[in-house]
């Protein structure tokens, strides 16, 4: 166990590196000073993503809640381990967050805010700390059944269609994000770093085994959160995929079989994504579902206020004691 941080992370606006033993992770806290028993929002970002994408969300949370954002190993301002793993599982990510919180002296209760693959890592964290999570907000998040029938996603054929395609432009993020020019440039700079690509590849490799590991815990069947509130936001990711497909065709990318693979994914997403998002509601008897039809997958870069509305909903529906 690493030595606990000497900083008081429950007061004031602070950021810096905190040791988790083998290396240190970067974290930033802000919002009102925390009193005992008050929840703190903890962000778990998606695959290959950093907290820089969430600055607009953070600004909107700070007036009403303490908030902690951190970068995973090998991403953003965090260090990586001396021997970088070839695959990073959701269990290992959750375990590192557990250690980070303990070493920083940030006690529960936690309200978990998670996006994309963060939906899987957040639920592995829930498994580690089942009594310490006061509520959860899932932002277009994956779950154990998300890719059933398309377990190889993203397949080589899918990726062949995206060669040379600017996702941020095609998805409408560049022209519509509320981030400042400088803030958005930081996102682009970090996504362009070789270290981000290396870590993202390892996270992608680790994600292949996540679903079966999480499914075995039967959290959805057993209502793992009881009556603690859950909000699920479902984005219009199928629209993102359709736009990317059209851009890939225009660029002349992919063979006909690659293009068919991509069309299959677009149709698969249209048919299943709402159903899979609603299945996450099974974690709790107290839940809310929101369809974000105007946002693609990265709602944090398009409609941060929508995410914060759902956080406020969670805060306004605390679990009732028996």
């Amino acid at each position: 166990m690493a030595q606990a941080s000497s900083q008081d992370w429950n007061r004031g606006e602070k950021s810096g590196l905190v040791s988790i033993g083998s290396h240190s992770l970067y974290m930033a806290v802000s919002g009102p000073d925390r009193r005992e028993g008050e929840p703190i929002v903890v962000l778990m970002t998606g695959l290959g993503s950093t907290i820089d994408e969430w600055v607009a969300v953070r600004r909107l949370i700070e007036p009403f809640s303490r908030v902690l954002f951190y970068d995973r190993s090998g991403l953003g301002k965090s260090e990586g381990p001396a021997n970088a793993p070839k695959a990073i599982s959701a269990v290992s990510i959750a375990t590192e967050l557990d250690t980070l919180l303990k070493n920083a002296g940030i006690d529960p209760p936690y309200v978990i805010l998670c996006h994309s693959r963060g939906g899987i890592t957040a639920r592995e964290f829930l498994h580690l700390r089942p009594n310490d999570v006061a509520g959860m907000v899932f932002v277009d998040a994956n779950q154990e059944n998300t890719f059933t029938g398309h377990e190889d996603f993203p397949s080589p054929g899918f990726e062949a269609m995206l060669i040379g395609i600017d996702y941020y432009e095609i998805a409408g993020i560049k022209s519509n994000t509320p981030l400042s020019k400088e803030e958005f440039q930081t996102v682009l700079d970090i996504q362009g770093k070789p270290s981000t690509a290396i870590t993202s590849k390892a996270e992608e490799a680790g994600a292949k085994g996540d679903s079966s590991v999480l499914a075995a815990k039967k959290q959805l069947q057993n209502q793992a959160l009881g009556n603690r509130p859950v909000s699920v936001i479902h984005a219009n990711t199928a629209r993102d995929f359709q736009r990317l497909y059209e851009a890939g065709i225009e660029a002349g990318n992919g063979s006909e079989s690659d293009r068919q693979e991509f069309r299959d994914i677009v149709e698969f997403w249209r048919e299943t994504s709402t159903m899979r998002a609603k299945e996450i509601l099974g974690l709790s008897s107290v839940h809310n579902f929101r369809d974000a039809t105007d946002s693609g997958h990265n709602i944090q870069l398009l409609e941060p206020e929508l995410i914060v509305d759902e956080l406020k909903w969670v805060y306004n529906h605390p679990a009732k004691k028996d």
Side-chain angles (χ1 to χ4, degrees), residues 141-143 145-148 220 232 234 268 271-281 289:
N142 299 349
Q143 49 109 317
N145 301 312
T146 297
F147 298 107
T148 299
L220 299 178
V232 174
H234 172 251
F268 169 73
E271 289 179 355
T272 66
S273 66
T274 301
M275 172 186 70
R276 295 308 186 195
K278 287 184 175 178
E279 286 175 354
I280 302 172
L281 300 173
F289 182 80

Side-chain angles (χ1 to χ4, degrees), residues 43-47 49 54 113-120 136-143 146-147 153 167 231-241 269-270 272-278 280 288-303 306-307 310:
L43 172 68
M44 301 186 76
T45 59
L47 192 151
S49 295
W54 292 79
L113 171 61
C114 56
H115 174 242
S116 198
R117 189 205 184 187
I120 304 282
M136 303 181 81
V137 176
F138 293 85
V139 182
D140 210 40
N142 299 349
Q143 49 109 317
T146 297
F147 298 107
F153 180 85
Y167 167 77
S231 168
V232 174
I233 306 171
H234 172 251
N236 195 352
T237 300
R239 184 184 67 185
D240 282 353
F241 286 158
W269 219 258
R270 283 183 178 139
T272 66
S273 66
T274 301
M275 172 186 70
R276 295 308 186 195
K278 287 184 175 178
I280 302 172
N288 193 51
F289 182 80
R290 185 159 184 176
D291 223 345
T293 54
D294 292 333
S295 268
H297 181 58
N298 287 291
I299 303 174
Q300 72 278 10
L301 291 170
L302 289 165
E303 293 189 288
L306 191 155
I307 295 170
E310 293 308 301

Side-chain angles (χ1 to χ4, degrees), residues 9 11-16 26-32 41 43 50-71 77 113 178-179 183 299-301 303-305 307-308 311-312:
W9 292 94
R11 296 177 173 277
E13 185 169 335
K14 293 184 175 72
S15 61
Y26 177 83
M27 57 179 267
V29 292
S30 55
V41 174
L43 172 68
T50 70
I51 60 177
D52 303 279
E53 297 177 11
W54 292 79
V55 291
V57 174
R58 177 178 168 176
R59 278 194 289 269
L60 295 172
I61 298 173
E62 288 171 335
F64 69 90
S65 175
R66 193 85 178 151
V67 57
L68 182 157
F69 286 1
Y70 85 104
D71 282 329
K77 295 176 183 169
L113 171 61
L179 272 62
E183 288 169 343
I299 303 174
Q300 72 278 10
L301 291 170
E303 293 189 288
E305 67 284 351
I307 295 170
V308 176
L311 266 176
K312 288 178 178 176

Side-chain angles (χ1 to χ4, degrees), residues 104-140:
I106 297 177
D107 296 326
Y110 311 116
V111 171
I112 303 299
L113 171 61
C114 56
H115 174 242
S116 198
R117 189 205 184 187
I120 304 282
T121 60
R123 291 189 38 216
E124 291 294 357
F125 180 79
L126 173 64
H127 180 73
L128 289 177
R129 306 284 287 268
N131 300 314
D132 294 341
V133 177
M136 303 181 81
V137 176
F138 293 85
V139 182
D140 210 40

Side-chain angles (χ1 to χ4, degrees), residues 51-317:
I51 60 177
D52 303 279
E53 297 177 11
W54 292 79
V55 291
V57 174
R58 177 178 168 176
R59 278 194 289 269
L60 295 172
I61 298 173
E62 288 171 335
F64 69 90
S65 175
R66 193 85 178 151
V67 57
L68 182 157
F69 286 1
Y70 85 104
D71 282 329
R72 293 187 301 281
S73 292
L75 292 171
K77 295 176 183 169
S78 284
E79 299 172 353
N83 298 308
K86 294 226 171 3
I88 300 172
S89 70
V91 171
S92 70
I93 290 169
T95 302
E96 286 192 349
L97 174 59
D98 179 43
T99 303
L100 178 71
L101 292 169
K102 287 172 178 171
N103 290 353
I106 297 177
D107 296 326
Y110 311 116
V111 171
I112 303 299
L113 171 61
C114 56
H115 174 242
S116 198
R117 189 205 184 187
I120 304 282
T121 60
R123 291 189 38 216
E124 291 294 357
F125 180 79
L126 173 64
H127 180 73
L128 289 177
R129 306 284 287 268
N131 300 314
D132 294 341
V133 177
M136 303 181 81
V137 176
F138 293 85
V139 182
D140 210 40
N142 299 349
Q143 49 109 317
E144 53 266 52
N145 301 312
T146 297
F147 298 107
T148 299
H150 283 274
E151 286 82 2
D152 64 339
F153 180 85
S155 65
F158 181 91
E159 293 186 326
M161 288 290 291
L162 300 179
I163 294 169
I165 302 299
D166 185 337
Y167 167 77
Y168 294 106
E169 182 177 346
I170 299 303
I173 293 169
K174 277 189 174 177
S175 55
N176 294 305
T177 184
L179 272 62
S180 71
K181 186 179 178 182
E182 294 74 22
E183 288 169 343
F184 187 60
Q185 189 58 50
T186 298
V187 173
L188 296 178
D189 290 346
I190 287 174
Q191 287 303 311
K193 288 171 64 176
S195 58
T196 302
I198 292 167
T199 301
S200 296
K201 188 174 181 182
E203 290 195 339
E204 200 170 281
K208 300 293 184 186
D210 284 347
S211 294
S212 58
V213 173
L214 181 58
K217 297 178 170 75
K218 298 190 179 298
Q219 291 179 340
L220 299 178
Q221 296 90 330
N222 298 329
Q223 207 169 84
L225 267 176
N227 67 350
R228 287 166 281 168
V230 165
S231 168
V232 174
I233 306 171
H234 172 251
N236 195 352
T237 300
R239 184 184 67 185
D240 282 353
F241 286 158
Q242 181 63 37
R243 289 175 175 176
L244 290 167
Y245 171 76
E246 291 167 4
I249 293 291
E250 191 175 335
N253 287 347
S255 64
E256 183 45 45
S257 65
D258 295 334
R259 294 176 179 191
Q260 185 59 55
E261 257 182 66
F262 210 109
R263 289 194 292 270
D264 289 346
I265 281 291
V266 175
E267 192 55 34
F268 169 73
W269 219 258
R270 283 183 178 139
E271 289 179 355
T272 66
S273 66
T274 301
M275 172 186 70
R276 295 308 186 195
K278 287 184 175 178
E279 286 175 354
I280 302 172
L281 300 173
L283 285 172
S284 173
S285 60
V286 179
H287 52 243
N288 193 51
F289 182 80
R290 185 159 184 176
D291 223 345
T293 54
D294 292 333
S295 268
H297 181 58
N298 287 291
I299 303 174
Q300 72 278 10
L301 291 170
L302 289 165
E303 293 189 288
E305 67 284 351
L306 191 155
I307 295 170
V308 176
D309 283 348
E310 293 308 301
L311 266 176
K312 288 178 178 176
W313 181 88
V314 164
Y315 272 62
N316 289 329
H317 292 80

